[in-house]
Amino acid sequence: MEQKVEELSSEDIARVEAQRKWVREHYPPESEEKYQTLDGKLVLLNAILKNKWIEPNETAKFQCLGITFGDALAQKLGLKWVAVEDEYGRDPALIAEGTSIITFPLTSISKRIEKGEEVDVFNLFENACAKINELKQQLA
């Protein structure tokens, strides 16, 4: 099956928002507006990982972090959330509009944790931004 890229369905949106909400609610209610900032997202991800608030086998929770990581990438680089469907299923992804550049932040943290790696959110973010910008330049 070829990859099919389309707008997020209402079910996709509900799932992504639930994952985003799980992360955002780590802020106390009076501080949740911090999630709206790029730094607020990255600092929160870093705190959750550094404080080990998620057990290594809780892949679904790490994927929630991946959605927030994706929100940070979208905010910084102007990417758009889409759904990508292939023979492995349907997942949210980010696309650089007008290009074929697609990234899958959902598993960007969980796959590293599963390999036993330490995740430096800020380094991972800078590297992802650099790679996406490099690909954009190659296509320009």
Side-chain angles (χ1 to χ4, degrees):
M1 176 182 185
E2 198 173 307
Q3 270 190 348
K4 187 167 74 171
V5 180
E6 57 191 27
E7 297 288 322
L8 293 175
S9 69
S10 55
E11 293 85 14
D12 296 326
I13 292 168
R15 188 177 93 201
V16 167
E17 182 52 37
Q19 291 171 302
R20 183 180 288 130
K21 182 177 185 229
W22 184 85
V23 176
R24 187 175 54 239
E25 288 181 345
H26 281 78
Y27 274 124
E30 65 276 6
S31 298
E32 278 188 14
E33 77 280 353
K34 290 180 182 178
Y35 186 89
Q36 300 308 315
T37 69
L38 180 61
D39 194 50
K41 290 176 183 71
L42 297 176
V43 166
L44 183 56
L45 289 175
N46 188 58
I48 292 169
L49 290 169
K50 295 297 178 205
N51 291 303
K52 300 190 184 310
W53 292 339
I54 304 174
E55 295 296 320
N57 64 339
E58 294 182 293
T59 302
K61 289 181 181 176
F62 284 112
Q63 289 183 354
C64 291
L65 301 186
I67 292 297
T68 294
F69 185 75
D71 283 344
L73 289 171
Q75 189 170 358
K76 173 85 174 180
L77 301 174
L79 305 177
K80 178 185 174 193
W81 282 105
V82 294
V84 176
E85 192 168 349
D86 61 19
E87 66 268 20
Y88 302 109
R90 182 180 178 92
D91 284 313
L94 291 168
I95 191 166
E97 290 190 88
T99 75
S100 58
I101 300 169
I102 299 175
T103 186
F104 293 87
L106 181 71
T107 57
S108 56
I109 294 173
S110 63
K111 69 181 180 184
R112 287 168 174 80
I113 297 293
E114 288 169 1
K115 291 180 190 173
E117 296 176 17
E118 278 288 316
V119 177
D120 178 332
V121 170
F122 300 101
N123 188 43
L124 183 63
F125 182 76
E126 288 306 316
N127 288 339
C129 287
K131 184 64 177 174
I132 292 166
N133 283 330
E134 176 186 322
L135 290 169
K136 281 180 171 179
Q137 287 180 343
Q138 288 174 6
L139 292 174

